[in-house]
Amino acid sequence: MSEVAPEELIVVPLAVAAERLQIDPFEFMRLLVMMGEVPATLQISEALIDRVRAAAGIELWWAEDVLLPTDASPSRAIVRAALRQLLERGFVGARATRIDNLWRGRPEDEALLRRAVSLLHREGMVGMSRSRAGVVVSVSPAAVPQLDAAVRGESMPAALAALA
Amino acid sequence: MDAPTEHLPNVAEALARAVDTRASRERDLLGELEALGAERERLRVAILSLEAQRAALDPIEAEVRAELTSLDDGAHEVLFNSLIAQRAAVAARAELVAEAARAQRDAARETTDNIDALLVEYRQFRDVIEPTLPDLPATYRSVLKAHHDGVVSRLRQFFSRVGADPVPLDAPALDLDVVIGVDGDGAEAVGVTIAIPVSGDVRAATLEGAPELELTLAARVVQAIYEGLDAIGQPTAVTAFGDHRGLLVVEVEVEPTDRADLVDQLLGIMEDVLGTSAELLAAGVRVRALEVPADHLFPPEESSDTLEDAS
């Protein structure tokens, strides 16, 4: 017993573990299966929560200090801030991130950001695919200058005009 | 004596008789014709009546055919009624399990004061203090470490008592069904529908304080689904969760595959996962996975229920 780290001993129910990562409990289960780490009981240790977070690339981008750019449209400001994070963190081409990282910490804007990603995906500016880590997105390399300009507020892709 | 007179045919009489005979025969024939005409008329009226009767059968036949086409053996209704009754039993069993776990936790708390405060202290040390330890004087460091080791020791004592192991329940076995329907022969994309005897909003309800057993049962089914998808080489298949008649329903869209293999994998893995789940065993819950015709899982008329994409 003594050699087991407290992180392995301290356990929380599945629903709480999923809430810690701000994901759905069934998505938590899916990730456990993909990792081959389904525990004997669904009391999840803190260490396992951390491993799931790392394996799936679950990140919290919307910390309190994230500033929204000045924009006449509040929706567009949020989309620009999300795109800025995507670009700044280098999620371009083959380097993709879970789509829900875009709105984790800002659940009230999930629908808006889902729609924005969908519109950009349709225009080929954002790549989207299913992987063992979940649905992942990245900026298409050819679209970096255009989205960078959008982030800076210099121009907005036509695909996002409807969001204004 | 007069000689006997031979009665010879009299032409005039013979002609008169012939005329009479003809007239008589003519009357007979005319009578027959009249009777035939009357019969013909009777038959015509009868035919009209029969045709009217036949025409009257058309809408009845159409009705019967329509009912035949949409003939429902009530399978959907009885299936979901059974699962709804099972769901109520699961909810009741979940209360018992939660009560037993609470009792165990309370007993452990009696010997470990203020476990919540210890947890807060443990996390504070790990997240805030530990990273700064190298910068502190050795004496401070050893005092803080010694205190932290004490906290860890008490936490270990507590969690070794409550641990992750479920509390065995002294209750009769509860037999449940998880129902799988596979739509398609595998040559094209296959729709797999799985109905589980737990509440459709089990995830939100559990976060709001509902006992965990329902979510555990659902999560174990979900585990089996993803293990099955992984086994057939489709780990990223699109999965959606929804609510039908208050029950949790999972739909999976599988790329063309060997249908029999898919069903075997799902049923086999489900039996394995559900049959060895420590929580279900401790709660006395026995779950059987069975395949039914896919249309048993869909209401006779299109449902307005919606499914939520898992991603």
Side-chain angles (χ1 to χ4, degrees), chain A residues 1-20:
Chain A
M1 178 67 70
S2 60
E3 72 275 14
V4 180
E7 285 85 348
E8 296 288 355
L9 283 175
I10 300 170
V11 292
V12 292
L14 172 66
V16 175
E19 196 183 27
R20 289 259 180 90

Side-chain angles (χ1 to χ4, degrees), chain B:
Chain B
M1 184 173 165
D2 292 337
T5 304
E6 189 177 354
H7 188 76
L8 295 172
N10 178 295
V11 171
E13 287 173 3
L15 286 174
R17 272 198 307 275
V19 168
D20 288 347
T21 302
R22 182 190 177 285
S24 168
R25 182 63 186 151
E26 185 179 60
R27 278 193 304 276
D28 289 348
L29 291 175
L30 285 171
E32 262 184 57
L33 281 176
E34 196 175 328
L36 283 172
E39 181 62 10
R40 189 179 293 277
E41 178 62 14
R42 193 189 63 76
L43 288 173
R44 191 185 68 78
V45 169
I47 287 168
L48 282 176
S49 168
L50 286 172
E51 278 179 349
Q53 287 178 47
R54 190 178 65 177
L57 292 178
D58 290 347
I60 299 170
E61 183 182 340
E63 225 170 85
V64 171
R65 283 188 187 285
E67 191 179 338
L68 182 65
T69 306
S70 64
L71 191 60
D72 174 24
D73 59 2
H76 173 82
E77 191 68 13
V78 297
L79 188 154
F80 272 89
N81 284 347
S82 302
L83 290 180
I84 287 166
Q86 290 184 8
R87 192 251 142 165
V90 174
R93 181 59 55 96
E95 291 289 352
L96 292 179
V97 171
E99 204 176 293
R102 259 194 309 272
Q104 187 201 49
R105 188 165 280 264
D106 289 347
R109 275 176 197 277
E110 278 176 19
T111 52
T112 310
D113 291 337
N114 220 351
I115 188 69
D116 294 330
L118 279 179
L119 277 172
V120 169
E121 203 175 317
Y122 168 78
R123 290 187 182 118
Q124 267 179 351
F125 181 86
R126 185 191 62 185
D127 300 336
V128 182
I129 298 169
E130 198 168 32
T132 67
L133 279 184
D135 303 328
L136 296 175
T139 46
Y140 281 20
R141 214 164 39 226
S142 61
V143 169
L144 287 170
K145 275 280 286 170
H147 179 75
H148 180 66
D149 288 347
V151 171
V152 168
S153 168
R154 289 165 71 194
L155 282 173
R156 281 208 178 101
Q157 279 175 22
F158 176 80
F159 282 104
S160 68
R161 279 195 295 278
V162 295
D165 293 336
V167 186
L169 205 62
D170 184 17
L174 178 61
D175 290 315
L176 306 172
D177 296 304
V178 169
V179 183
I180 302 175
V182 178
D183 193 13
D185 58 8
E188 293 177 0
V190 174
V192 181
T193 306
I194 299 132
I196 310 167
V198 301
S199 163
D201 70 347
V202 64
R203 291 167 290 176
T206 307
L207 269 178
E208 286 162 13
E212 287 161 33
L213 185 65
E214 278 196 67
L215 181 66
T216 301
L217 169 56
R220 289 301 187 186
V221 174
V222 168
Q223 173 193 342
I225 291 170
Y226 286 124
E227 286 185 2
L229 291 172
D230 208 20
I232 61 161
Q234 297 195 35
T236 59
V238 178
T239 310
F241 300 95
D243 178 306
H244 179 62
R245 297 187 57 186
L247 296 177
L248 181 67
V249 175
V250 188
E251 288 199 355
V252 189
E253 197 181 306
V254 179
E255 295 297 311
T257 187
D258 182 327
R259 186 188 189 282
D261 182 44
L262 170 69
V263 172
D264 284 351
Q265 290 285 358
L266 282 175
L267 291 178
I269 292 175
M270 210 145 297
E271 189 181 339
D272 184 40
V273 168
L274 298 171
T276 57
S277 159
E279 302 94 336
L280 300 180
L281 290 171
V285 171
R286 299 188 299 207
V287 190
R288 185 177 67 137
L290 75 156
E291 189 201 2
V292 298
D295 56 4
H296 287 187
L297 290 169
F298 296 103
E301 287 180 14
E302 199 56 40
S303 166
S304 61
D305 296 339
T306 54
L307 289 173
E308 161 205 336
D309 190 327
S311 58

